[in-house]
Amino acid sequence: MILNKGGKLSTAYFLSYLELVASFRQCSAAEVYDIVFERLFDRDKAKLGPASFQAFETAYEQFSKKPESL
């Protein structure tokens, strides 16, 4: 996936992406985190900028609290 590195990606964007991966892969919340972090950030917190990484972390926190993601 090609992403624009110049803009901040929203929490809603990451939450939707986490839910999509969880639905498709049928895996744990921790596994979803690893998959998305690898695919979007290439395991580099700085790749999309600090604001986008913070939005990702916030989205994951919200995602992991949902009963269906456990």
Side-chain angles (χ1 to χ4, degrees):
M1 175 183 290
I2 298 173
L3 297 172
N4 180 358
K5 296 178 187 172
K8 175 191 175 230
L9 296 169
S10 70
T11 299
Y13 172 84
F14 287 116
L15 186 56
S16 294
Y17 198 87
L18 289 162
E19 290 170 347
L20 177 68
V21 170
S23 175
F24 182 73
R25 297 278 181 114
Q26 296 293 304
C27 54
S28 72
E31 290 171 312
V32 170
Y33 180 94
D34 287 340
I35 292 166
V36 174
F37 188 57
E38 173 70 34
R39 289 183 61 103
L40 298 183
F41 289 90
D42 293 327
R43 298 210 170 273
D44 178 6
K45 294 178 182 181
K47 181 177 181 182
L48 299 175
S52 289
F53 184 73
Q54 183 59 49
F56 172 64
E57 291 284 299
T58 301
Y60 177 72
E61 187 177 313
Q62 292 173 13
F63 172 77
S64 64
K65 289 180 182 177
K66 290 185 174 190
E68 63 271 12
S69 67
L70 299 176

